[in-house]
Amino acid sequence: MLINHDTRHALDVVVDLLNTAPDSGSPDTLRDVEELRAYVRRNHFSGVDALTGEDVAAVRSVRDQLGRIFAATDVRTASELVNALVAEAGTTPQLTDHDGHDWHVHYFAPGASVADHLAADGGMALGFLLVAGERERLRRCAAPDCGRAFIDLSRNRSRRYCDSRTCGNRLHVAAYRARQREAAGS
C-alpha cells in the first residue's frame, strides 16, 4: 500500500495518541496540560497556541473516538465514526509548505484547536485507509499483556505485535525457551 508522507505522519500521530490511554499495566499519559504539551512537541504539531485543561479534555475525547474507530468490527461502522469525527472538527483542506516540509495537505482550519487538528488530519488519514479497503491494518498488539495500537503497514499484513523489539521479541523468546524446556524434558 502506497501512503504519502503526510498521511503516514497523521497515522503515526493517531497511534501515539491512542497509546497514551491506560491499558493493562500502563497508566494514562495524557492527564494534564504538561503531558499534552509533551505529546504536541513529540509529534511536531504546527500552529498550536497555549494549551489549557479544556484542550486536554477535548483531546482525550478525540482519543476515545479514534479508539472506537480502531475497535469497529466492520467498514461501515468505522466509516460512520470517521465521518462524524471529521465533520465535528470542521475540516478545511489547505495546501501548505511550512517548517521545512514540502507541499502537503492539512485538513484542519487555520487556528484550529489541537483536538480539531487531530480529529481532522487523523480522521482523514484513517478515512484513506478505509477507502483503500485496508481497515484490517488498524490493529491492537496480540501480546497477552499489551493492547497498544499500531497500523500494520507490512506488505502481507502479517504484523501481530506493536513493536517487534519488545512484545514480539519477548513472546518469540518465551516460545523458544518453552520449546527448549520441552526438548530437554523429552
Side-chain angles (χ1 to χ4, degrees):
M1 167 173 201
L2 183 63
I3 298 176
N4 63 24
H5 174 268
D6 50 322
T7 300
R8 174 64 190 263
H9 175 72
L11 292 171
D12 290 342
V13 170
V14 165
V15 166
D16 189 25
L17 178 62
L18 288 171
N19 290 332
T20 65
D23 62 17
S24 56
S26 300
D28 189 330
T29 58
L30 192 60
R31 296 168 297 200
D32 57 34
V33 172
E34 192 51 46
E35 288 177 340
L36 178 57
R37 192 172 292 120
Y39 171 81
V40 166
R41 275 193 308 269
R42 182 170 66 243
N43 287 289
H44 310 286
F45 279 68
S46 61
V48 173
D49 294 327
L51 298 169
T52 68
E54 289 176 6
D55 290 312
V56 174
V59 168
R60 288 169 61 106
S61 175
V62 168
R63 179 180 71 184
D64 292 343
Q65 291 171 288
L66 291 167
R68 286 192 289 280
I69 294 167
F70 262 66
T73 57
D74 58 78
V75 175
R76 180 158 311 279
T77 302
S79 298
E80 290 169 357
L81 292 166
V82 166
N83 286 340
L85 179 67
V86 169
E88 188 178 314
T91 58
T92 308
Q94 59 182 329
L95 292 170
T96 183
D97 67 336
H98 61 87
D99 299 328
H101 298 290
D102 204 359
W103 288 100
H104 59 283
V105 179
H106 283 299
Y107 294 94
F108 55 91
S113 70
V114 67
D116 285 345
H117 181 132
L118 283 163
D121 274 5
M124 291 302 299
L126 290 171
F128 294 145
L129 279 180
L130 297 176
V131 167
E134 302 287 353
R135 185 187 65 81
E136 72 276 359
R137 291 184 183 271
L138 306 178
R139 304 252 174 99
R140 293 287 180 167
C141 186
D145 58 344
C146 184
R148 293 176 58 85
F150 68 94
I151 297 177
D152 180 3
L153 296 176
S154 66
R155 268 189 188 190
N156 61 0
R157 297 174 191 87
S158 62
R159 188 170 159 201
R160 298 180 54 217
Y161 306 109
C162 62
D163 186 352
S164 61
R165 291 178 306 245
T166 54
C167 289
N169 273 356
R170 184 171 43 85
L171 290 171
H172 291 302
V173 167
Y176 171 78
R177 288 180 179 158
R179 287 191 305 273
Q180 296 292 20
R181 282 191 302 273
E182 185 177 307
S186 298

